[in-house]
Amino acid sequence: MTKRTPIIAGNWKMHNTLAESAALIEALKTAGNKNNAEVIVAPSFTSLAKVAELAKGSHIQVSCQDVHWEDKGAFTSAVSPVQAKDAGATHAILGHSERRSVFGDTDEILNKKVAAALRHGLTIIFCVGETLQEREANETIAVINSQLENGLKGYTAEDLKGMVIAYEPVWAIGTGKTATPEQAQEVHAAIRQFLADKYGKEYAEATRILYGGSVKDSNVDEIMAQPDVDGALVGGQALLADKFARIINFN
Ligand code: 13P
């Protein structure tokens, strides 16, 4: 079990109408939080303001799933960090593997999005992870180090204070295949080592590193038992109030 304050975050992805989002946040408000975790939900942009309004005064914080790198302009369909913040987001997920693989978010683009989030005081949840092919080629740590190195290039420990890292192996996302607790621990320890080398031991020790990829009510306890796992970023089961409640209240 981590000595850092755990974070349990739900990424709702492209799910939920306004009514469904409202029902889910209302259910989560009364779901308990026995570990005093930081609980975060990331609705889609259409539900963000509504969910933030309903979460106000509760222990639940609201994140957006992405931001554009500019504050405003002619970028049809995109949402700026100013707008996300205005709608009530306190956090921004950046570099989710679906953003990287489906929408072409490169390390260079992410590096600009990091600047955008920092400009507006959004706490970054920076996602990294390897594909199955990369894992099988023994490239996991090299891939992740390069995502961290290039995505965060140019920022100091002071700039990145409070940033959260999410390790999400691409092969475990939405597949029902979870990394074993040992696999998660190995990568989390390597990420912490990277942070120590780059930003110092104190920064590394304070940074929360979340695991994501088929986290369920049935496997969260063993994953959270790992010393370098400080929380979970949950997809599918974050949409189900009772399942996500159990994950928040992990043992
Ligand atoms: P699943 O929990 O559905 O595998 O999704 C994980 C994820 O991508 C969270 O960001």
Side-chain angles (χ1 to χ4, degrees):
M1 167 88 186
T2 173
K3 49 185 189 287
R4 292 161 282 268
T5 302
I7 295 177
I8 303 292
N11 176 6
W12 295 0
K13 307 193 180 182
M14 196 174 72
H15 293 284
N16 285 352
T17 60
L18 276 169
E20 288 164 345
S21 296
L24 185 48
I25 188 72
E26 288 298 354
L28 294 175
K29 276 158 68 174
T30 57
N33 182 19
K34 73 171 189 192
N35 304 304
N36 289 319
E38 283 183 33
V39 180
I40 302 169
V41 295
S44 28
F45 281 118
T46 52
S47 291
L48 188 63
K50 177 87 187 165
V51 170
E53 187 188 307
L54 293 173
K56 209 172 268 173
S58 79
H59 63 289
I60 303 176
Q61 304 178 80
V62 180
S63 176
C64 54
Q65 299 174 12
D66 183 41
V67 289
H68 194 269
W69 60 83
E70 292 289 349
D71 291 353
K72 61 180 172 184
F75 298 100
T76 299
S77 93
V79 176
S80 84
V82 177
Q83 294 171 315
K85 192 135 193 236
D86 181 53
T90 52
H91 293 65
I93 298 174
L94 295 179
H96 190 280
S97 83
E98 287 145 21
R99 288 294 321 171
R100 292 176 188 265
S101 67
V102 183
F103 298 101
D105 276 11
T106 60
D107 291 333
E108 291 69 35
I109 287 173
L110 289 170
N111 192 254
K112 296 199 282 180
K113 291 184 171 184
V114 167
L118 293 177
R119 259 197 322 272
H120 298 287
L122 290 162
T123 299
I124 296 167
I125 302 175
F126 193 80
C127 303
V128 295
E130 82 288 3
T131 63
L132 184 59
Q133 199 183 8
E134 289 162 346
R135 173 162 283 267
E136 285 174 346
N138 269 325
E139 290 166 2
T140 299
I141 305 300
V143 165
I144 286 164
N145 284 353
S146 138
Q147 289 170 339
L148 292 169
E149 181 70 46
N150 296 314
L152 304 175
K153 194 180 279 176
Y155 306 108
T156 64
E158 185 57 31
D159 296 332
L160 300 174
K161 197 160 174 249
M163 177 179 64
V164 177
I165 305 284
Y167 168 53
E168 298 208 310
V170 178
W171 49 271
I173 296 176
T175 57
K177 251 188 252 163
T178 319
T180 63
E182 294 73 26
Q183 283 173 324
Q185 170 56 29
E186 186 192 1
V187 177
H188 282 228
I191 292 172
R192 204 174 301 285
Q193 188 58 53
F194 176 95
L195 297 175
D197 293 344
K198 190 98 188 152
Y199 307 112
K201 198 164 164 31
E202 195 184 331
Y203 181 90
E205 284 304 313
T207 300
R208 272 81 59 83
I209 306 174
L210 317 183
Y211 170 79
S214 299
V215 173
K216 304 190 223 1
D217 55 346
S218 56
N219 60 23
V220 65
D221 299 342
E222 56 182 19
I223 292 170
M224 286 305 297
Q226 300 301 313
D228 284 296
V229 176
D230 306 309
L233 180 54
V234 187
Q237 287 217 336
L239 299 170
L240 307 168
D242 57 335
K243 301 284 188 190
F244 194 58
R246 172 62 181 83
I247 293 171
I248 292 168
N249 294 289
F250 66 89
N251 290 318

